[in-house]
Amino acid sequence: LEYFPAAASATDHRGGETPLHFACGHTCGNSHVTIGIIQLLINAAPDSVRHADNNGQLPLHHLCTNILNRRVDEIAAMKILKLLLENFSGAICSNNNDGHLPIHLACIMSRSPEFCRRLIEAYPGSERISDEDG
């Protein structure tokens, strides 16, 4: 990022994802993702927290789904969740192209009860909002 800062806001040609999406998500994230890496990416490209990929997913949506491969441990995920919401609180009520809120994805992916509780605290009543599947 020091030599090519524009890389932090670049998107891939297939899914429209930024490096922040990849760091938060299940497609490319890994167990070495830290709060420091996420903060570095946000500092380098502040608008990346608001960028929706081609599926309408924000980095928060990706964080909610990455449990599939256990690539971000739960303690790190909780810290990243807090940081993402501090930088874009509106993400919590954003639907992806399938009508899923972050809480829907977290439940589908069996995120921890504590993780889901934090999402609900950030958007009270979201657990009662139906997605397109009901």
Side-chain angles (χ1 to χ4, degrees), residues 62-132:
H62 283 258
L63 180 66
C64 292
T65 62
N66 79 358
I67 195 74
L68 179 64
N69 295 314
R70 300 269 182 207
R71 292 196 164 138
V72 176
D73 71 54
E74 196 64 16
I75 294 169
M78 296 297 284
K79 291 178 182 177
I80 294 167
L81 172 60
K82 182 176 187 256
L83 183 61
L84 291 175
L85 291 175
E86 286 172 352
N87 282 276
F88 181 41
S89 61
I92 196 69
C93 58
S94 294
N95 295 73
N96 66 13
N97 292 352
D98 293 326
H100 294 120
L101 291 167
I103 186 63
H104 296 141
L105 297 174
C107 292
I108 289 167
M109 299 308 296
S110 300
R111 292 301 310 227
S112 73
E114 178 65 15
F115 189 93
C116 292
R117 184 181 66 74
R118 294 246 178 116
L119 290 171
I120 293 166
E121 286 174 353
Y123 186 13
S126 59
E127 75 280 9
R128 292 186 296 276
I129 297 173
S130 297
D131 62 11
E132 65 180 29

Side-chain angles (χ1 to χ4, degrees), residues 19 23 32 34 41-43 59 77 85 96 104 130:
H32 303 291
T34 65
L41 291 170
I42 292 172
N43 289 348
L85 291 175
N96 66 13
H104 296 141
S130 297

Side-chain angles (χ1 to χ4, degrees), residues 21-34 37-38 66 69-73 76-77 80:
H21 286 87
F22 282 110
C24 291
H26 65 281
T27 58
C28 194
N30 63 55
S31 62
H32 303 291
V33 172
T34 65
I37 292 169
I38 301 299
N66 79 358
N69 295 314
R70 300 269 182 207
R71 292 196 164 138
V72 176
D73 71 54
I80 294 167

